[in-house]
Amino acid sequence: MAICFQFQSPLKPITFPSSTTKRVPIFKCKASFSTTTTTEVEPVFTSVKSFAPATVANLGPGFDFLGAAVDGLGDFVSLSIDPSVSPGHVTISEISGSSKLSPNPLFNCAGIAAIATMKMLNVRSFGLSLKLEKGLPLGSGLGSSAASAAAAAVAVNELFGAKLGVDQLVLAGLESEAKVSGYHADNIAPAVMGGFVLIKSYDPLELKPLIFPQNQELFFILVSPEFEAPTKKMRAALPAEIGMPHHVWNCSQAGALVASVLEGDVVGLGKALSSDKIVEPKRAPLIPGMEAVKKAAIKAGAFGCTISGAGPTAVAVIDNEEEGKKIGQKMVEAFLEEGHLRSVAMVKKLDRVGARLIEGVPR
C-alpha cells in the first residue's frame, strides 16, 4: 500500500486455471464517480474469483500519465455473498501473501475499491465477504495496490452481472489509490484495462488505450531488489519546479514513446523510456545501484531501462525472451556489485487483457 516493506519472497509467475475467461475491455472512458443505478441490482453469482495484473507505471517520461500491464504477475480476489455480513457492507475474511495489510476494508486497497464499486451499483441488500491473495510484494514498483483494487472492483462488478464499464471500474480503483498512494491512474488504468494506457485527463477522467501491434514481440525485464522505496519518500524527492528545456524534452520523449507503442517499435520505445530528465534523475540515486543497473541493462543489449513506478524495481525492454533473461542476469549482478542488494529478475510479456473474471458459481 502507501508504505512499502522489504520483500518476503521472490515474485512468482501466475498459472491460470483452465476456466480463465478473457473479457474485451470497453475503451471509451469519460466518467465521474457516482451511483450508476437507481434500482438495486441482483447478483448473478453466489461467488466469483478475479485476477488483476501487475503494472509498470511512468515508463520514463510518462510520469503519472502512462502505464502498462504485465502478464503473469498479479493479485487474486475471491468474493462471495455472505448472509452474516450486514447488507451493503463488505468484510475481508482472509489475506494471504502478506502479513502487513489491514483486514479493515476501509484501510485496505481491495476493500476500498469493493465498497466504491458497491456504491456505484447501489448494492444495499447483500453483504459480501472478500478474500485477497497477494501475488505482488508491497512497494515493489509494480502496482501492488492497484492490482488489489482492480481485482476487487472487477469481482464486485461480475458478481452483480457486469453492469459497469471499464471507465467506472477505473474510478472505483482510483478511489482506492487516492487513499493509499496518491491520485494517479497510471497503475489502476492498465490493471483494469490491460495493455498500454494514456491518461488524457483526471477531471473528468479520460483514458486512451494505446494498442501495441499483435504481431510484434515485447518483453519487460523486471528486476526487483530487496530494498524499501516508500512512495511518499520517492514523491518527496521530485522537484517542485522544472525548467522549460527539461519540460520540452520530456514532452517530446513522451510523444515518441506513444508513437513507438502504436507502431510496435520496441527499439524506439526503449530509447524514449530511457530518456526521462525530470523524475528518474531524482529517484535513481535513492535506490542503491540503480544507475549502474540501467547502464548494465543497456550494455547487455536492452533497448532501454528505467525505474518502474516509484521503484525499486528496474524495468528494461527487449524483443527476445532469451536475450531478456541474459540481460536480467546482468542487472541482478549490477544490483549486487554496485548497490549491495540481492534481487530477482523476471522476463514477462505485455498483458493485453487486464483484470478479469477467473471463475464463478452461478446463483
Side-chain angles (χ1 to χ4, degrees):
M1 296 176 64
I3 300 175
C4 306
F5 301 90
Q6 198 163 13
F7 298 166
Q8 297 179 354
S9 61
L11 291 168
K12 297 180 179 179
I14 297 296
T15 300
F16 293 110
S18 58
S19 60
T20 298
T21 59
K22 295 185 177 181
R23 295 185 59 82
V24 178
I26 301 169
F27 291 132
K28 186 175 181 181
C29 296
K30 185 174 182 180
S32 58
F33 181 72
S34 62
T35 300
T36 59
T37 58
T38 54
T39 58
E40 186 172 7
V41 294
E42 288 289 322
V44 297
F45 294 101
T46 58
S47 66
V48 295
K49 186 173 185 178
S50 62
F51 169 81
T55 47
V56 173
N58 299 339
L59 297 170
F63 179 71
D64 276 6
F65 64 86
L66 282 172
V70 177
D71 182 56
L73 298 170
D75 291 356
F76 291 95
V77 162
S78 298
L79 190 73
S80 60
I81 298 172
D82 190 339
S84 68
V85 179
S86 300
H89 291 74
V90 60
T91 63
I92 298 177
S93 59
E94 183 181 332
I95 300 174
S96 61
S98 174
S99 60
K100 303 291 186 179
L101 296 176
S102 172
N104 185 333
L106 299 178
F107 299 99
N108 182 288
C109 300
I112 296 168
I115 292 168
T117 309
M118 291 173 73
K119 288 181 179 178
M120 286 182 174
L121 291 168
N122 198 25
V123 176
R124 296 170 301 186
S125 300
F126 302 92
L128 306 179
S129 178
L130 184 153
K131 295 181 180 179
L132 172 62
E133 299 174 50
K134 290 297 296 177
L136 296 172
L138 309 183
S140 58
L142 292 172
S144 177
S145 61
S148 296
V154 165
V156 174
N157 188 42
E158 293 289 345
L159 191 74
F160 289 94
K163 304 294 185 182
L164 304 178
V166 291
D167 54 342
Q168 294 156 312
L169 296 176
V170 170
L171 280 169
L174 194 53
E175 177 108 339
S176 171
E177 289 284 83
K179 293 182 180 179
V180 299
S181 62
Y183 195 80
H184 51 86
D186 49 343
N187 286 116
I188 189 64
V192 170
M193 301 167 66
F196 288 89
V197 181
L198 166 68
I199 293 85
K200 294 175 61 179
S201 167
Y202 279 95
D203 187 18
L205 180 67
E206 294 186 69
L207 308 173
K208 175 65 177 177
L210 305 175
I211 308 303
F212 188 82
Q214 289 280 353
N215 62 342
Q216 296 293 325
E217 292 281 15
L218 169 64
F219 294 92
F220 295 107
I221 306 161
L222 305 167
V223 182
S224 300
E226 294 180 340
F227 182 75
E228 297 179 8
T231 301
K232 180 180 268 189
K233 177 181 178 180
M234 300 305 278
R235 281 190 171 262
L238 302 181
E241 298 180 354
I242 59 172
M244 185 60 74
H246 283 177
H247 165 70
V248 172
W249 172 262
N250 263 42
C251 286
S252 68
Q253 296 309 303
L257 196 156
V258 169
S260 296
V261 170
L262 296 176
E263 294 170 358
D265 178 7
V266 186
V267 174
L269 191 162
K271 186 176 180 181
L273 178 141
S274 291
S275 301
D276 175 26
K277 288 188 177 181
I278 297 174
V279 177
E280 184 186 312
K282 297 296 182 181
R283 286 179 165 176
L286 302 179
I287 304 171
M290 180 59 75
E291 292 167 326
V293 169
K294 179 175 181 175
K295 290 179 182 178
I298 294 174
K299 183 178 179 180
F303 298 150
C305 180
T306 190
I307 302 169
S308 178
T313 295
V315 56
V317 291
I318 194 68
D319 60 358
N320 181 279
E321 186 173 11
E322 290 305 312
E323 287 298 312
K325 292 177 181 178
K326 296 175 183 177
I327 294 167
Q329 183 57 40
K330 293 297 183 181
M331 294 168 70
V332 168
E333 292 172 4
F335 258 131
L336 186 60
E337 293 172 6
E338 300 296 330
H340 307 292
L341 296 174
R342 292 180 298 174
S343 58
V344 58
M346 299 166 292
V347 181
K348 298 294 179 183
K349 289 186 176 182
L350 177 71
D351 183 302
R352 298 175 183 268
V353 180
R356 62 267 202 181
L357 178 69
I358 299 297
E359 58 189 37
V361 178
R363 192 177 179 208

